[in-house]
Amino acid sequence: SAASDVYKRQDILARFFNHDEEQATQIMLAVHTQGKGVCGIYTKDVAETRAMQVNQHSRQHKHPLLCEVESAS
């Protein structure tokens, strides 16, 4: 269900980015309304590792969530 998918994405945000339910909800609303949301600001190596972990987890569990790294500058 759609509600279940949202919960799973919020769970991923909590697991990989240490966001609480409120923060995860705000990020998911940004993704839904703006097409993307900021999960955090990290060094390049950390950001790339987390993105890889999220994308691997999403693929394995057939979630549509895609994590990309962008420069903050």
Side-chain angles (χ1 to χ4, degrees):
S1 74
S4 176
D5 288 345
V6 167
Y7 174 77
K8 289 174 188 169
R9 289 189 287 265
Q10 289 172 334
D11 182 54
I12 290 169
L13 291 171
R15 179 183 304 184
F16 291 101
F17 298 102
N18 300 314
H19 293 303
D20 62 26
E21 186 177 348
E22 174 71 22
Q23 292 167 318
T25 299
Q26 292 302 315
I27 294 166
M28 290 313 305
L29 285 172
V31 170
H32 185 69
T33 60
Q34 301 167 29
K36 62 182 175 179
V38 177
C39 293
I41 299 175
Y42 303 96
T43 62
K44 186 176 187 216
D45 287 347
V46 171
E48 288 176 346
T49 298
R50 291 203 184 186
M52 179 193 67
Q53 291 170 334
V54 168
N55 292 335
Q56 183 177 35
H57 179 86
S58 294
R59 274 193 308 275
Q60 286 174 344
H61 298 310
K62 301 195 180 348
H63 296 311
L65 188 65
L66 174 64
C67 188
E68 295 180 335
V69 175
E70 292 185 2
S71 173
S73 56

